[in-house]
Amino acid sequence: MTSVAAPGHPNEDFTGAVPDAAVLIDGAGIPGAESVCRHGVVWYAHRLGGALLSRLSDGREQSLAALLADAIEQVTDSHRGSCDVADPISPSATVALLRCRDGLVEHLVLGDSVVVLDRVAGAPLVSADRREVIISGAYQSILEGITPGSDEYHRVLAELRANRNQPGGFWLAKDDPRAAYEAVTGGLPVTELTGAVLLSNGASRIVDRFGLTDWPGLVALLGSSGAAGVIQRVRQAEARHEVPADDATITYCTELDRC
């Protein structure tokens, strides 16, 4: 596991593992969030990650979506009395989960984190939730034609955020446990896999934004250079293309046949 903050900023990502499961959380920060939640995005991401690891370690016979719903509810309840948890700019996060159980490797993706399952035969299976990317892209051209900070700019941003955790929109972990049941989920027999990778969108951009490699190439690169080497290449690409750096986190799981 490797997690590197964007330079000059606190790391809003979280990752952790127990013997048969792994968790990756990518906290989402929106300017002004401190006015509605005194805890902040880092706190939310770590609390949600910790709640998930606790549930994954105690052998609960629940689906990954049900575990995530319980964790969202627990974290929301822990600051409902002091923060405006329902405000659109209160802390939220994307989630990637992996669990090995009864010979099956299960995964869950909510938001723009990514899970890559490296198969014994054939190309890796990539599990991604593209809804936020698609919807945000539709607003990007509009925002580019508006003066940043203007009333119209804030109106369009509010319209974009109104798509969050709504039917036909995109889904994140925030204050509504029902969002967990909108996640992308799946599973494969452990005998069909050689490894698995969880990535925050700040790390997956080596493939899906910069195109420095493809998903099979990413798995090979992890084997040769490790997660730190992959993130270093992301940082170099960000500098070369003058793209603002993002927190980048990778959890690389191997020897899945032990689970």
Side-chain angles (χ1 to χ4, degrees), residues 100-151:
C100 242
R101 186 175 62 164
D102 299 329
L104 184 70
V105 178
E106 305 167 285
H107 67 271
L108 176 150
V109 176
L110 182 66
D112 59 7
S113 293
V114 178
V115 171
V116 180
L117 300 174
D118 188 24
R119 296 188 284 188
V120 173
L125 175 65
V126 180
S127 183
D129 180 355
R130 302 285 296 171
R131 287 171 290 188
E132 182 178 3
V133 174
I134 293 170
I135 291 172
S136 296
Y139 283 86
Q140 191 58 42
S141 59
I142 300 174
L143 289 170
E144 288 173 354
I146 303 173
T147 302
S150 66
D151 289 345

Side-chain angles (χ1 to χ4, degrees), residues 156-198:
V156 174
L157 273 182
E159 186 177 316
L160 167 60
R161 291 167 185 159
N163 288 279
R164 181 190 292 140
N165 290 358
Q166 296 293 329
F170 58 91
W171 301 83
L172 299 170
K174 190 175 175 290
D175 62 301
D176 186 353
R178 293 174 296 180
Y181 296 100
E182 300 293 334
V184 176
T185 60
L188 286 175
V190 68
T191 54
E192 296 183 12
L193 299 173
T194 60
V197 190
L198 285 67

